[in-house]
Amino acid sequence: MDEVYADLAPGRIVAMMDKEVIYGCRMQIVVTRSVAGDLVCLATDLHAQDACWMYRLRWSV
């Protein structure tokens, strides 16, 4: 997956338009890159930006 998002700059967010069923729940796939350069993939029912914000809060604890 990293090859597909090789040009994704840190802080940029890519959200899939169609939701997928994951473990029985309809979720949106969101991909971003951290400031450290790590690719972060989220499955969420939140708005894409809200999901990334909540994820950052979680890891700042």
Side-chain angles (χ1 to χ4, degrees), residues 39-58:
L39 192 63
V40 179
C41 302
L42 306 171
T44 183
D45 58 351
L46 299 174
H47 184 275
Q49 290 177 329
D50 293 339
C52 291
W53 181 76
M54 294 293 289
Y55 190 79
R56 275 193 292 271
L57 282 179
R58 177 177 184 255

